[in-house]
Amino acid sequence: MPLGPLHSHRSSNSSSEDYASEDESSSGTADQVGPTTPTRTVSRRRFLAGVTATASVSLAGCTARLPGKAASVDSRTTRDGNTLIWAYPASPAESDQGFEGIGYAAIRFQVFNMAVDADSVIPALQFRLNSTVADLAAGESYQGYQADSFRFYIGVPRTYDGAAGLRAFVQPPQWPDIRTTYGYTGAVRELAVQAPDVHEDGTIIVEGRFQPYDATLPSELHCGFEVQASQSGPLGRTVRVDGRETFDVSVIDLPEGITTA
């Protein structure tokens, strides 16, 4: 559904006010709409259903290659309908309840027609970013981890952006501090959403949308995430993991009048 009206007053990224400065240039801060609060997963059953039981398309795994002293951990990528899911480590401990790793990251997409007039088409590509560390996702061998930081990115091909153009709106939770940028990185225009200082376990969800200037959406999006997590205790370890995948927008059931290019 739409994320609601924009307002004219400005604020910092993590404020309770709405930030609505449109980014028409090649880089800058993504628009923000309305505050929300962190959302926690309600049950292990729900996690298992979303990550293992219904994950219907297995994609290539990804090996993290991030700098620093933290140990690199592989991620396992699946697609469940409109959702990309990266579970880590790629070969977690297994139990009667299924996956029990350190955590997972996910990006879910949906397309809506925001027009109130039945004869008009105003498409919106809504996204939902989910970073979960420990909490209900962790097994006995991975207890004690907390997220240090995370970063998601969604890239729009430059060929599409040069011909049509796509605005980005982000609705961050008030905690932790969420930073957003939207600018060119190589061959894509990339929206980056990051929380550099988390130090908590559990689930953090950030929602937003892309809105084109006409009825045409990009045919693909280049998606990825990066997470650093640390385990408590004198023998605890710090791990880093990342993953990337190209999302085919055509797998979404598009409303009438909305096309991809």
Side-chain angles (χ1 to χ4, degrees):
M1 64 179 62
L3 295 182
L6 299 177
H7 302 281
S8 59
H9 53 277
R10 294 192 173 199
S11 71
S12 65
N13 282 359
S14 57
S15 169
S16 60
E17 296 179 332
D18 296 334
Y19 182 89
S21 170
E22 288 197 358
D23 174 16
E24 304 289 348
S25 64
S26 62
S27 64
T29 303
D31 298 346
Q32 297 181 8
V33 291
T36 183
T37 55
T39 303
R40 285 190 169 272
T41 307
V42 297
S43 70
R44 180 179 293 273
R45 177 177 299 176
R46 178 180 173 186
F47 165 76
L48 294 172
V51 177
T52 59
T54 62
S56 58
V57 182
S58 179
L59 304 174
C62 178
T63 300
R65 287 182 173 84
L66 298 177
K69 298 181 180 179
S72 295
V73 174
D74 294 345
S75 63
R76 180 179 61 190
T77 313
T78 57
R79 191 187 76 229
D80 180 8
N82 298 349
T83 305
L84 290 173
I85 303 168
W86 294 273
Y88 53 89
S91 301
E94 297 289 340
S95 72
D96 293 340
Q97 295 180 336
F99 177 89
E100 291 190 345
I102 297 173
Y104 71 97
I107 303 178
R108 186 184 72 187
F109 294 103
Q110 291 180 283
V111 176
F112 299 95
N113 183 359
M114 299 177 60
V116 295
D117 185 345
D119 297 326
S120 300
V121 177
I122 304 177
L125 176 62
Q126 184 170 312
F127 57 85
R128 186 184 192 205
L129 313 176
N130 180 330
S131 177
T132 295
V133 173
D135 197 27
L136 298 170
E140 292 183 4
S141 57
Y142 296 110
Q143 292 295 324
Y145 276 97
Q146 292 184 343
D148 299 329
S149 62
F150 68 78
R151 178 178 183 266
F152 286 92
Y153 51 91
I154 304 173
V156 181
R158 184 185 286 267
T159 52
Y160 167 88
D161 197 54
L166 201 68
R167 293 163 289 177
F169 302 86
V170 177
Q171 184 174 353
Q174 295 185 40
W175 182 96
D177 180 30
I178 298 292
R179 301 177 185 178
T180 61
T181 58
Y182 190 34
Y184 285 110
T185 302
V188 301
R189 192 182 196 200
E190 181 180 275
L191 171 68
V193 178
Q194 58 184 324
D197 191 26
V198 182
H199 305 296
E200 292 285 346
D201 64 357
T203 295
I204 298 174
I205 289 175
V206 181
E207 295 183 329
R209 72 173 184 262
F210 289 108
Q211 191 168 336
Y213 288 95
D214 57 27
T216 304
L217 293 169
S219 60
E220 62 181 21
L221 298 167
H222 304 288
C223 305
F225 84 102
E226 302 169 3
V227 170
Q228 177 171 304
S230 295
Q231 197 173 30
S232 60
L235 300 179
R237 60 196 294 252
T238 298
V239 299
R240 289 195 178 198
V241 59
D242 69 3
R244 62 185 66 229
E245 190 63 51
T246 299
F247 182 81
D248 183 357
V249 178
S250 67
V251 303
I252 302 176
D253 186 15
L254 300 177
E256 183 177 357
I258 299 176
T259 60
T260 62

